[in-house]
Amino acid sequence: LILRGQHAATPLPECVAQHFGLTPAEFRLCAALVGGASLKTCAQNWNRSYDTLRSQLKTILAKTGTHRQAELVGLLNAFGA
């Protein structure tokens, strides 16, 4: 689920993962970023290294044709609308 604000939750459609060829881990990171989480927070919460998630983000950016995290979040928000 993606949290928008503190009260609303909207699921990011699974079609996003299929459309861009994302792995489950990449999709999970996308959902967290759209929900407002930072890479640092995700790394801490998921017991992963920051560098691992940063590498995943770079792969996601390449798969989605985006260049910045903000651009990625905007693209993913369009799918969830």
Side-chain angles (χ1 to χ4, degrees):
L1 290 179
I2 296 173
L3 300 176
R4 292 195 175 115
Q6 292 184 2
H7 305 290
T10 304
L12 187 62
E14 290 288 330
C15 66
V16 172
Q18 293 173 350
H19 182 77
F20 293 112
L22 302 177
T23 66
E26 291 166 348
F27 179 75
R28 178 181 173 196
L29 181 56
C30 286
L33 294 175
V34 170
S38 69
L39 286 180
K40 183 178 178 181
T41 300
C42 291
Q44 291 171 344
N45 291 343
W46 300 341
N47 199 25
R48 301 272 186 239
S49 78
Y50 175 82
D51 289 334
T52 297
L53 293 185
R54 191 165 171 256
S55 177
Q56 277 186 338
L57 177 59
K58 288 180 182 182
T59 301
I60 293 166
L61 293 176
K63 287 182 177 182
T64 59
T66 56
H67 297 71
R68 296 178 300 117
Q69 186 172 327
E71 185 180 357
L72 172 66
V73 169
L75 174 68
L76 296 176
N77 275 327
F79 274 89

